[in-house]
Amino acid sequence: MEEQSYYTEKLASLGTLAAGVAHEINNPLAIILGFTEILLEKTHPDSEEYDILKTIEKQATNAKRIVENLLSFVRHKEHKEQLVNINDCINTVLDMMNNTIMINNREVKKDLQETLPLIKGDPGELQQVLFNIINNAIYVMKGGGILCISTKYDGHWIIISISDTGCGIPKEHRQRIFDPFFTTKEVGKGTGLGLWVSYNIIKKHNVIITFETKTKEESEKPGTTFIIKLPGER
Amino acid sequence: MAERILIVEDEPHMLKLLSMILRDKTPYEVIITNNPIEAVELAKNEKFDLVITDLKMPGLHGLQLLEEVKKA
Ligand SMILES: Nc1ncnc2c1ncn2[C@@H]1O[C@H](COP(=O)(O)OP(=O)(O)OP(=O)(O)O)[C@@H](O)[C@H]1O
Ligand SMILES: [Mg+2]
């Protein structure tokens, strides 16, 4: 009990610290990116200088993404609850990501139950969770695959299932995927904050998130399924 | 007469960046200051069509600054 409150406190003060640091970093990053853009316009695209400026832009953009991810969690943005139709959230996110999903031989299979009860929640936050999970799924299906998204209501829970036919998550990583900064992506490609942010949003919504995963050593059909269960009272 | 934009920002590099972008990309006349108090003085004597201001600045908060400018 005591230990837990110690950790909560420690997390809270880390949050405050992170928010402070993030703000201090955001301004210099905005300045770096802004001037880089100005110089890019004045530089010939075939020159070495242009490549260097592009590198500066890319690295600073990566840093900015990390800061934004951190802030999106610690900022305690007002959590605005309203009645939400989860199918609408899913369709919004899929529309937004459509172009990215459809390249590289990826296919989407959607099976949404038509009459779902509405749930109380923050649609922006729920979309962020869906975005992060779908984003991870398409990342592991770079060479093609099938993204299945389904919703159903079992009289008590609304169950969202998002599955991919990617590589699966190896045993030694399964405990860690929700940890902040845990990533297996190349340096600069991922922040390792996607699932952590999602998990923290989900906690606020009294929701259960689980996953099932099989690597190609474990199954002929490797892949990962994330299952989100929301209480759906009619 | 061209429309006039006043930029108020205490961080000198951000001020320079904003003014460069606005001067490059818009036809407007851009006037800058790093001091919110001076901004109020400027607004008393001249007319601006748009004020772009930082919020946290020593001396005067951006929102107070806007109130003062509107009064002037
Ligand atoms: N669908 C999946 N299939 C296989 N591995 C996954 C899947 N989803 C998550 N992971 C593993 O969990 C790690 C953490 O995921 P998380 O979304 O938190 O960060 P990230 O995707 O690495 O970075 P970012 O979200 O910033 O792009 C990933 O790097 C990956 O190793
Ligand atoms: Mg991710």
Side-chain angles (χ1 to χ4, degrees):
Chain A
M1 220 25 224
E2 226 166 70
E3 197 173 354
Q4 191 176 4
S5 82
Y6 168 74
Y7 275 118
T8 326
E9 227 164 79
K10 201 165 153 191
L11 261 183
S13 55
L14 255 180
T16 320
L17 181 70
V21 172
H23 277 296
E24 291 306 312
I25 292 176
N26 251 345
N27 273 334
L29 278 178
I31 292 169
I32 292 172
L33 281 166
F35 279 123
T36 307
E37 202 173 305
I38 288 181
L39 286 180
L40 275 169
E41 279 177 15
K42 296 184 199 287
T43 310
H44 197 279
D46 290 332
S47 62
E48 194 186 353
E49 284 82 358
Y50 190 86
D51 290 342
I52 294 174
L53 286 168
K54 273 288 177 197
T55 308
I56 296 176
E57 187 184 39
K58 217 166 151 195
Q59 298 291 323
T61 307
N62 279 336
K64 196 172 139 211
R65 270 188 59 211
I66 296 193
V67 172
E68 271 164 11
N69 258 332
L70 266 178
L71 272 180
S72 77
F73 172 60
V74 290
R75 201 188 272 136
H76 289 298
K77 250 190 295 177
E78 236 179 288
H79 169 81
K80 282 203 200 90
E81 294 219 329
Q82 63 188 68
L83 287 173
V84 194
N85 181 339
I86 279 293
N87 288 342
D88 290 348
C89 288
I90 292 175
N91 285 324
T92 307
V93 174
L94 284 179
D95 284 346
M96 189 166 72
M97 301 176 82
N98 194 38
N99 292 333
T100 339
I101 298 178
M102 287 326 224
I103 49 171
N104 298 340
N105 287 319
R106 279 183 292 246
E107 205 184 305
V108 182
K109 283 192 180 154
K110 225 167 37 166
D111 178 17
L112 309 181
Q113 179 169 327
E114 258 173 39
T115 48
L116 281 185
L118 302 177
I119 60 141
K120 249 202 200 138
D122 180 322
E125 291 185 347
L126 292 167
Q127 281 165 21
Q128 200 184 346
V129 172
L130 295 165
F131 176 90
N132 286 333
I133 292 174
I134 295 173
N135 204 24
N136 288 342
I138 56 183
Y139 187 85
V140 292
M141 298 193 293
K142 278 204 226 78
I146 304 171
L147 175 74
C148 288
I149 303 185
S150 71
T151 52
K152 66 169 191 267
Y153 180 57
D154 70 358
H156 192 65
W157 296 96
I158 294 172
I159 301 160
I160 311 170
S161 150
I162 301 171
S163 69
D164 63 64
T165 53
C167 53
I169 304 168
K171 270 210 175 70
E172 62 273 24
H173 294 163
R174 288 176 195 163
Q175 298 288 328
R176 302 174 59 197
I177 59 166
F178 292 104
D179 289 354
F181 299 112
F182 175 77
T183 180
T184 54
K185 292 181 180 168
E186 291 161 56
V187 175
K189 286 269 166 66
T191 63
L193 293 172
L195 285 178
W196 181 67
V197 169
S198 305
Y199 183 75
N200 281 290
I201 290 175
I202 273 175
K203 265 198 325 206
K204 279 192 278 192
H205 285 88
N206 300 318
V207 170
I208 301 171
I209 182 166
T210 53
F211 63 94
E212 287 161 14
T213 186
K214 291 263 186 311
T215 60
K216 66 176 189 301
E217 287 73 31
E218 294 167 316
S219 165
E220 278 168 29
K221 289 187 181 157
T224 305
T225 304
F226 278 83
I227 296 162
I228 303 172
K229 285 183 166 190
L230 308 109
E233 239 89 2
R234 277 208 202 252
Chain B
M1 210 170 72
E3 268 89 6
R4 307 173 81 232
I5 304 179
L6 174 65
I7 311 179
V8 195
E9 162 66 84
D10 61 317
E11 211 293 320
H13 301 101
M14 188 61 95
L15 184 59
K16 166 128 199 231
L17 175 64
L18 288 173
S19 61
M20 271 179 88
I21 293 173
L22 288 172
R23 281 178 185 147
D24 260 23
K25 309 265 175 201
T26 73
Y28 308 126
E29 190 185 339
V30 178
I31 296 95
I32 61 174
T33 169
N34 63 1
N35 180 339
I37 310 281
E38 185 182 277
V40 177
E41 288 308 311
L42 278 172
K44 276 182 189 154
N45 301 316
E46 305 168 39
K47 177 177 165 294
F48 296 99
D49 299 283
L50 176 68
V51 178
I52 299 178
T53 175
D54 189 15
L55 290 179
K56 258 175 72 184
M57 292 178 288
L60 197 62
H61 190 273
L63 292 179
Q64 282 172 298
L65 165 75
L66 290 184
E67 301 248 308
E68 294 293 320
V69 169
K70 272 186 208 154
K71 264 191 257 162

